[in-house]
Amino acid sequence: MSTTMMALATSRVVLSPSVLSSCSSFTDARLCARRLLSSFPSKHIPQKRPARLLQVRAARLESQPVPLASRAPGFELPEPLTGRTWNLEEFEGHRALLVMFICNHCPFVVHLKMNLLKLANDYIPKGVGIVAISSNSIKTHPQDGPDMMAKEAQQLGYPFPYLYDETQEIAKAYGAACTPDFFLYKKDGRRPFELVYHGQFDDSRPGNGKPITGRDLRNALDCILAGMPVSTAQKPSIGCSIKWHPK
């Protein structure tokens, strides 16, 4: 049976005897079906619905304000990939320090991962220290735990340490709220690291169609390396909330 005839068969429209009898003069069932369909309003004919696009939505949270010129809080955290413990003092010889709060699963981080890798490969040789920290609770998100962190760092070939903040005390000390959350500090001689940039990577977000360039963060890095002041007009980063331990 043709699609049109099947539509008629399942329709609840009542056809008049004169219309039904007229079908006997048609030898072609398709022509008969067209004649029948023309006899009642099109609203009764089943219509194909347009395909629905599946969209993955993630809750968005902006990074929270942290005063510029704040000193970088100290830390002592393990690197799951190597088992080594890192601390802030190991970056003292760098001209700048970028602390990134990221994780494995967040779509906003996944969206940027290869570009974070590219940025690191571009700026580490120029004297920028970079460290990534995951503070998510493994009680609620086991995919962000140390074993999976080590696997990801190895697979992607991170040129920076990817550290595990199990107690979440370091995230709280820095004022981190989302992933990704970027804290860029400059080093001026013997003075402690001072915060000069706490903003977004760029305008690109999952699904918004904007290219990933890292423009905002790269501009801040370039200013530090050139000895120029970093603009205080900074857009907050946007990402998934840090997954705090359940109370």
Side-chain angles (χ1 to χ4, degrees):
M1 183 183 294
S2 69
T3 302
T4 306
M5 293 298 287
M6 289 178 67
L8 284 171
T10 57
S11 173
R12 294 184 179 180
V13 175
V14 178
L15 303 179
S16 65
S18 61
V19 173
L20 289 172
S21 62
S22 67
C23 289
S24 61
S25 62
F26 291 91
T27 57
D28 188 330
R30 287 175 296 180
L31 292 176
C32 182
R34 293 193 190 106
R35 177 68 177 275
L36 290 174
L37 287 172
S38 66
S39 68
F40 56 89
S42 59
K43 66 180 181 180
H44 296 294
I45 304 173
Q47 302 293 323
K48 288 186 177 180
R49 295 181 179 179
R52 296 177 62 185
L53 296 177
L54 178 63
Q55 294 183 340
V56 178
R57 297 181 180 272
R60 298 184 175 213
L61 181 68
E62 289 188 353
S63 56
Q64 300 302 300
V66 176
L68 295 178
S70 298
R71 293 184 177 184
F75 60 81
E76 189 169 337
L77 296 172
E79 181 183 16
L81 178 62
T82 64
R84 175 182 172 182
T85 298
W86 291 75
N87 58 54
L88 180 64
E89 287 70 28
E90 295 185 61
F91 296 92
E92 283 293 325
H94 294 78
R95 301 175 64 185
L97 172 64
L98 174 62
V99 180
M100 309 183 296
F101 286 86
I102 63 173
C103 67
N104 290 356
H105 87 277
C106 174
F108 293 90
V109 178
V110 173
H111 180 65
L112 298 178
K113 276 181 182 176
M114 297 311 297
N115 288 273
L116 294 178
L117 182 61
K118 185 176 187 304
L119 180 139
N121 287 329
D122 288 344
Y123 285 93
I124 288 178
K126 297 178 182 180
V128 176
I130 299 179
V131 59
I133 299 174
S134 177
S135 302
N136 277 0
S137 173
I138 62 172
K139 296 178 181 178
T140 58
H141 291 74
Q143 66 269 46
D144 290 334
D147 292 342
M148 298 304 292
M149 289 174 61
K151 182 178 180 180
E152 175 157 309
Q154 184 174 40
Q155 288 180 339
L156 295 180
Y158 283 158
F160 48 79
Y162 186 19
L163 310 182
Y164 178 46
D165 177 22
E166 182 177 10
T167 67
Q168 303 184 325
E169 291 303 317
I170 302 306
K172 294 175 183 177
Y174 275 79
C178 59
T179 54
D181 207 344
F182 301 101
F183 298 79
L184 177 60
Y185 299 85
K186 73 173 183 178
K187 192 75 167 67
D188 189 3
R190 295 185 177 181
R191 298 183 64 180
F193 281 112
E194 292 184 355
L195 184 66
V196 293
Y197 183 80
H198 178 222
Q200 66 177 8
F201 192 71
D202 57 26
D203 289 329
S204 183
R205 305 285 184 266
N208 74 357
K210 295 184 179 180
I212 306 173
T213 62
R215 180 190 62 190
D216 297 59
L217 184 53
R218 284 177 177 270
N219 284 345
L221 284 162
D222 290 341
C223 284
I224 294 176
L225 297 177
M228 299 172 59
V230 177
S231 173
T232 58
Q234 303 172 9
K235 296 179 182 179
S237 183
I238 296 178
C240 308
S241 64
I242 287 181
K243 309 309 179 191
W244 305 107
H245 293 312
K247 295 181 180 180

